Amino acid sequence: MSLFRDDFKGLDIPNNKEATKDKVVEIANIPKRLYFPMSMHIGAPANVVVKEGDAVKIGTLLGSSDEGISTNIHSSVSRTVVKIEEDSSFRGESEVVVVENDYKEEKEYLKEFDIENLTPEKFSSIIDEAGITGKGGAGFPASVKYKMGKEETRFLVINGSECEPYSTTDYRCMIEYSEEIIKIIDLIAKIYTIEESYIAIEDHMTEAISCLDKEIKNQKAENIYIHKLSSEYPQGHAGLQIQKVLGIEIEEGQRSGDVGILQSNVSTIKAIHDAVFERKSLIKRIITVTGPMINDPKNLMVRIGTLVEDLIEECGGLKDGEIEMINGGPMMGRAFEDKSIPVDKDTTTLLFLEKQEKKKEKNCIRCARCVDNCPVALQPIIIRNSFINGRYDRVPELRSESCISCGVCTYICPADISLLESIQALNKKWKEMKND
Ligand code: SF4
Ligand code: SF4
């Protein structure tokens, strides 16, 4: 059974990208001290491999990934490890390595390899070593997907749709790094003997489309195509995108790799380019700092480990009033309170909105809009009622673990019911029950 419904149209929501979409990425100031949480990704935290007083360079390994789902973490500046402490991060409390910067910018590169003769195994090990995580917001270690063999892969789909409102990280990446993006796609296609590669991109992103198109022609790259998507939310979800681009259905419980497809976000692909062609680990990323409550919204190239408060200052500070701070976009992002936490590999957007009084939930009017608009054909209100009634055991029957957390049901509900919140809470309770 296909995970996604055939008739799903998507929501037409305001994209609110005007404030930053035409702003060139600026290099953010590099602070004196940088903070590296050992948990910047889905999976197990990395293990600290340095000690206080150690000298480090840009690219020196600070935390090493364990077996299983985890990621290496590297220093983004040079000089000294001054502290290792427990502190808060976007992923909760975690061990944090603090590095003081001497601004000498000394660098340590990934080990040398023969770029002409890369096998899929070697290629995925480079991604692993460079500590690259999926940069679309989920923070999944990118090497896991690339562990596929040549014979298993047919298509490469690059996600450039960036459907979250406000965010222009991927958009600017496609405009400013189109050469690098096409170069690495071409190499991946050769390594994995890919038949066709597609860059999926929303049709209103005209400048990015023309930059990529020009590069495909410049590099005489064969079998790389731009696939224009209409601008509805949530076009950026991996499985949904595969269905739209290739017409291949992803079944419940399947991943893209199970149907012969390699898939990466466009910013992840740029990070892979830097690892393969420049032997650089993932130590910086583009972040969109935006929203009506920041004085000077920008796209910034930020060293990982920079504090949120430094970026706020660099963007002219916050306006007066009560502010809601969100890590990510308004649909799938998470609110946070503490400005003194560092940005990590997973931070795409820092959004500053005027704090609205939380709307009081009203009674369900049984309009069925949440059901009709769910891309994976769930019944959000029934799932919510199961949570309220303590029926955690109904998770398998209601397929609530198939929820892709798109937030459409909450957005569309006229009774202002926090449906997604309840679905996530129910799934959490079910997991706890199973592990008991
Ligand atoms: S967040 Fe709501 S609409 Fe989106 S997949 Fe989950 S239940 Fe469906
Ligand atoms: S959209 Fe809201 S009001 Fe309508 S059925 Fe769903 S929960 Fe009830």
Side-chain angles (χ1 to χ4, degrees):
M1 179 180 147
S2 170
L3 175 59
F4 299 98
R5 55 201 294 169
D6 293 340
D7 59 344
F8 179 70
K9 295 270 184 307
L11 281 190
D12 185 12
I13 56 175
N15 74 25
N16 293 324
K17 295 181 193 277
E18 291 71 29
T20 53
K21 84 185 226 315
D22 296 323
K23 288 193 176 170
V24 171
V25 177
E26 294 176 37
I27 310 287
N29 294 327
I30 309 169
K32 183 76 188 151
R33 278 191 174 203
L34 291 101
Y35 301 79
F36 302 89
M38 291 296 106
S39 181
M40 299 196 185
H41 46 269
I42 281 180
N47 299 313
V48 177
V49 295
V50 287
K51 54 186 186 320
E52 289 180 7
D54 278 1
V56 294
K57 296 180 181 173
I58 296 173
T60 300
L61 191 67
L62 301 176
S64 144
S65 69
D66 254 331
E67 289 294 302
I69 308 290
S70 190
T71 299
N72 284 341
I73 292 168
H74 304 82
S75 180
S76 62
V77 292
S78 60
R79 181 126 187 234
T80 318
V81 175
V82 289
K83 218 191 276 181
I84 298 167
E85 59 189 4
E86 278 290 314
D87 211 340
S88 29
S89 70
F90 279 128
R91 289 183 182 265
E93 287 291 306
S94 138
E95 222 171 354
V96 176
V97 176
V98 186
V99 178
E100 196 156 279
N101 182 11
D102 63 1
Y103 295 95
K104 286 193 180 153
E105 298 283 278
E106 288 183 276
K107 296 183 181 76
E108 188 174 315
Y109 292 95
L110 297 172
K111 283 186 226 108
E112 286 195 39
F113 45 83
D114 178 8
I115 206 163
E116 298 299 325
N117 293 301
L118 286 175
T119 59
E121 297 74 31
K122 182 63 194 166
F123 187 77
S124 64
S125 78
I126 296 166
I127 299 172
D128 202 11
E129 218 187 302
I132 299 171
T133 54
K135 292 169 96 186
F140 199 80
S143 61
V144 176
K145 288 183 183 174
Y146 286 87
K147 287 199 168 108
M148 291 167 71
K150 278 184 195 191
E151 55 299 325
E152 298 161 83
T153 47
R154 288 180 59 206
F155 301 108
L156 174 64
V157 177
I158 304 300
N159 181 3
S161 67
E162 199 168 48
C163 58
E164 264 283 4
Y166 289 99
S167 186
T168 53
T169 303
D170 291 342
Y171 180 64
R172 291 310 314 176
C173 182
M174 289 186 283
I175 292 171
E176 296 180 39
Y177 297 102
S178 52
E179 186 183 337
E180 290 85 345
I181 290 168
I182 301 303
K183 197 169 160 190
I184 188 69
I185 292 175
D186 199 38
L187 181 69
I188 295 171
K190 288 187 177 105
I191 294 171
Y192 288 85
T193 56
I194 299 276
E195 292 169 22
E196 289 166 356
S197 303
Y198 293 89
I199 306 171
I201 179 164
E202 292 193 357
D203 53 8
H204 64 93
M205 296 173 155
T206 49
E207 197 181 343
I209 292 171
S210 105
C211 288
L212 291 166
D213 198 34
K214 206 165 121 205
E215 263 316 312
I216 292 172
K217 290 185 181 109
N218 276 351
Q219 296 184 32
K220 298 190 175 53
E222 285 176 8
N223 303 324
I224 302 179
Y225 307 100
I226 294 173
H227 185 100
K228 293 187 205 164
L229 298 163
S230 53
S231 16
E232 279 115 21
Y233 184 82
Q235 299 278 24
H237 186 272
L240 200 53
Q241 200 166 82
I242 286 170
Q243 196 161 304
K244 296 248 176 191
V245 174
L246 295 168
I248 295 175
E249 291 190 348
I250 301 284
E251 305 214 341
E252 197 110 27
Q254 273 187 326
R255 292 191 173 277
S256 51
D258 299 331
V259 286
I261 298 164
L262 276 172
Q263 190 174 38
S264 275
N265 169 271
V266 79
S267 295
T268 313
I269 276 291
K270 164 66 172 61
I272 295 176
H273 168 277
D274 295 350
V276 174
F277 286 101
E278 298 173 6
R279 293 198 288 120
K280 289 179 179 166
S281 301
L282 176 56
I283 54 106
K284 60 185 176 184
R285 64 161 302 148
I286 305 173
I287 296 178
T288 305
V289 183
T290 189
M293 296 306 278
I294 188 107
N295 281 313
D296 187 11
K298 290 180 180 180
N299 297 300
L300 294 170
M301 181 63 83
V302 181
R303 295 287 172 101
I304 287 159
T306 303
L307 299 182
V308 170
E309 61 195 15
D310 293 338
L311 299 178
I312 292 175
E313 197 185 317
E314 191 152 356
C315 293
L318 295 173
K319 295 181 181 166
D320 291 336
E322 281 220 71
I323 294 174
E324 180 165 20
M325 303 191 290
I326 299 173
N327 176 20
M331 300 299 285
M332 296 180 77
R334 285 178 182 266
F336 67 98
E337 304 280 334
D338 185 359
K339 298 187 197 92
S340 67
I341 49 177
V343 297
D344 60 28
K345 299 181 187 196
D346 205 10
T347 314
T348 58
T349 307
L350 293 170
L351 177 60
F352 300 93
L353 299 172
E354 197 171 351
K355 199 165 204 157
Q356 307 284 341
E357 224 168 278
K358 197 170 182 321
K359 287 186 188 152
K360 209 167 169 294
E361 291 190 3
K362 300 174 239 359
N363 289 333
C364 171
I365 57 168
R366 299 180 183 211
C367 65
R369 288 176 72 184
C370 57
V371 179
D372 293 344
N373 286 283
C374 174
V376 289
L378 300 181
Q379 302 180 74
I381 185 61
I382 308 282
I383 301 174
R384 148 123 172 159
N385 290 342
S386 299
F387 172 65
I388 289 176
N389 296 328
R391 290 293 312 274
Y392 312 142
D393 59 305
R394 293 195 70 197
V395 165
E397 172 201 346
L398 297 172
R399 298 171 45 239
S400 72
E401 284 183 308
S402 298
C403 170
I404 60 168
S405 301
C406 66
V408 164
C409 50
T410 300
Y411 181 86
I412 210 163
C413 174
D416 298 316
I417 299 172
S418 307
L419 294 160
L420 174 58
E421 230 172 77
S422 306
I423 293 166
Q424 288 174 332
L426 177 74
N427 289 340
K428 194 164 167 234
K429 286 280 183 198
W430 168 242
K431 264 198 195 104
E432 287 166 8
M433 247 175 85
K434 277 198 303 187
N435 293 336
D436 257 358

